[in-house]
Amino acid sequence: MDEKHEDALLTLQHAGIAKTPQRLGVLNIFLAAKTPLSLSTIKKRLAAKVRFDKVTLYRILSLFKNLGIIREVTSRNGVNYFEIATKDNPVHPHFNCLNCGMLTCMEPLTFSQSRQLISPKEDYHVDHIEISITGLCAGCRDATKLQKRKN
Amino acid sequence: MDEKHEDALLTLQHAGIAKTPQRLGVLNIFLAAKTPLSLSTIKKRLAAKVRFDKVTLYRILSLFKNLGIIREVTSRNGVNYFEIATKDNPVHPHFNCLNCGMLTCMEPLTFSQSRQLISPKEDYHVDHIEISITGLCAGCRDATKLQKRKN
DNA sequence: ATACTTATTGCAACTTGGTTGCATTTTTGA
DNA sequence: TCAAAAATGCAACCAAGTTGCAATAAGTAT
Ligand SMILES: [Mn+2]
Ligand SMILES: [Mn+2]
Ligand SMILES: [Zn+2]
Ligand SMILES: [Zn+2]
């Protein structure tokens, strides 16, 4: 039996929701992913596994998000990304390449780092802090250098 | 002559683009705003001033953004917000109330604060760091307390 | 295993946000 | 004031996401 498939089954079982092929498919995609996934990416990968309607995918993502199985990662271009939200994958900053659009996960902040971010005078109840860093990834930066050399 | 109107005129002049009523209208709305504005808010406020088409508004916002007159502020719900990008209004974190959706501007980070956020090993070229904090604003927190007391 | 109940999916229709091409109007600058 | 250039408005279009409901699949008790 597939290792990932087992994890996916357990997750749905623990959440107390039905184990449908579509949900297992989505969950396995997240479990295998190393970066946050856009909706279109999920759609493509899921299509290779199981028959599904776009409405179903929206509902599954919304359900998983509400159950805390996945979390949403906001990005510049308004496209929504998602990633798995397990205990060993706490909230962390993301790097967003302006050129290729790729999102990569960065190391989570330490407690003292995150405390520095909040001005103590602000009397807000903080739920969470999202940090997103934009720039050029290593690949795109090198490509740009080559480009410049050519010109 | 209106003070803000004057600022708006100068901004367009400096950018070297035509001074149309629609652009002046949008600019004055931004100059008067204390928080980032959503598209729908801008639309409403502009409609009270001048006749315009939605296409025009999209084009103006896109133009202003490219010229660096305004900047985009990403938010949780995928709705795009914009704020004026003058020298005395540098990039800064935002607080986003989960209950009422309100976005408020926070103090900009100091250089040492922002440097702490980047793990030195990451070989990315950083363009800018966006910090967005979610939680409950003072008003909504109090309302929640009252709610709880009632129950 | 079967039958019943409940949850989930697929489909179609619709809403909303945003884009494109082009004719009309406005602004600019001579 | 007038011609050239720029910006706007309009209509048509596209894509993303939502809703209601009937068909189907999963859970559950017998
Ligand atoms: Mn991540
Ligand atoms: Mn701000
Ligand atoms: Zn890149
Ligand atoms: Zn609030």
Side-chain angles (χ1 to χ4, degrees):
Chain A
M1 184 183 283
D2 190 355
E3 180 70 14
K4 284 168 190 167
H5 196 228
E6 185 60 20
D7 275 358
L9 272 173
L10 286 172
T11 304
L12 295 181
Q13 197 147 32
H14 181 254
I17 58 177
K19 302 167 194 69
T20 70
Q22 290 84 356
R23 287 178 183 169
L24 287 170
V26 170
L27 214 33
N28 280 322
I29 289 168
F30 279 118
L31 288 169
K34 284 175 180 56
T35 65
L37 303 174
S38 69
L39 195 80
S40 65
T41 301
I42 300 167
K43 207 180 281 181
K44 268 181 229 145
R45 297 196 186 165
L46 189 60
K49 295 183 174 188
V50 64
R51 183 186 110 105
F52 75 101
D53 185 82
K54 63 170 179 169
V55 181
T56 305
L57 180 52
Y58 284 120
R59 290 195 270 230
I60 289 177
L61 291 174
S62 158
L63 177 70
F64 283 5
K65 197 181 127 184
N66 289 336
L67 291 172
I69 297 174
I70 60 174
R71 74 174 71 96
E72 211 164 346
V73 178
T74 60
S75 82
R76 229 120 341 276
N77 44 27
V79 182
N80 288 343
Y81 287 76
F82 301 89
E83 66 182 0
I84 196 93
T86 50
K87 273 177 196 164
D88 56 315
N89 189 35
V91 177
H92 49 262
H94 289 95
F95 182 88
N96 196 334
C97 180
L98 289 169
N99 187 247
C100 67
M102 189 192 57
L103 269 185
T104 49
C105 305
M106 297 178 65
E107 285 303 306
L109 262 63
T110 63
F111 179 73
S112 67
Q113 279 177 320
S114 52
R115 231 180 53 173
Q116 289 221 11
L117 296 178
I118 312 294
S119 321
K121 62 182 155 56
E122 310 285 0
D123 61 344
Y124 298 125
H125 171 262
V126 173
D127 182 67
H128 92 270
I129 301 178
E130 179 155 3
I131 297 175
S132 129
I133 299 168
T134 49
L136 287 180
C137 73
C140 288
R141 199 189 37 186
D142 293 350
T144 307
K145 271 184 197 165
L146 284 173
Q147 195 85 15
K148 278 182 185 164
R149 204 171 299 168
K150 276 185 195 170
N151 295 349
Chain B
M1 185 183 283
D2 189 355
E3 178 71 14
K4 281 168 192 165
H5 196 226
E6 184 61 17
D7 276 358
L9 273 172
L10 287 171
T11 304
L12 294 181
Q13 198 148 30
H14 182 254
I17 58 176
K19 301 166 193 72
T20 69
Q22 290 84 357
R23 287 178 182 170
L24 286 169
V26 170
L27 215 31
N28 281 321
I29 289 168
F30 278 119
L31 288 169
K34 284 175 178 58
T35 65
L37 303 173
S38 70
L39 195 80
S40 65
T41 302
I42 301 168
K43 207 180 281 183
K44 269 181 228 143
R45 297 196 186 166
L46 189 59
K49 296 182 173 189
V50 65
R51 181 187 113 104
F52 74 101
D53 185 81
K54 63 170 180 169
V55 181
T56 305
L57 180 52
Y58 284 120
R59 290 195 270 229
I60 290 177
L61 292 174
S62 159
L63 177 70
F64 283 5
K65 197 180 127 187
N66 288 336
L67 291 172
I69 296 175
I70 60 173
R71 76 174 69 97
E72 211 164 347
V73 178
T74 58
S75 82
R76 231 121 337 279
N77 43 27
V79 182
N80 288 342
Y81 286 76
F82 300 90
E83 68 183 358
I84 195 93
T86 50
K87 273 177 194 164
D88 56 314
N89 190 34
V91 176
H92 49 262
H94 289 95
F95 182 89
N96 196 337
C97 181
L98 290 168
N99 188 247
C100 66
M102 190 192 58
L103 268 185
T104 50
C105 304
M106 296 180 65
E107 286 301 307
L109 262 65
T110 64
F111 179 72
S112 67
Q113 278 176 321
S114 49
R115 233 180 51 173
Q116 289 221 12
L117 295 177
I118 312 294
S119 321
K121 62 180 155 50
E122 310 285 0
D123 60 345
Y124 297 126
H125 170 262
V126 172
D127 182 66
H128 94 269
I129 301 177
E130 179 155 4
I131 297 175
S132 129
I133 299 168
T134 49
L136 287 180
C137 72
C140 287
R141 199 189 36 188
D142 293 350
T144 308
K145 270 184 196 164
L146 283 171
Q147 194 83 15
K148 278 182 184 163
R149 205 170 298 166
K150 278 185 192 167
N151 296 348

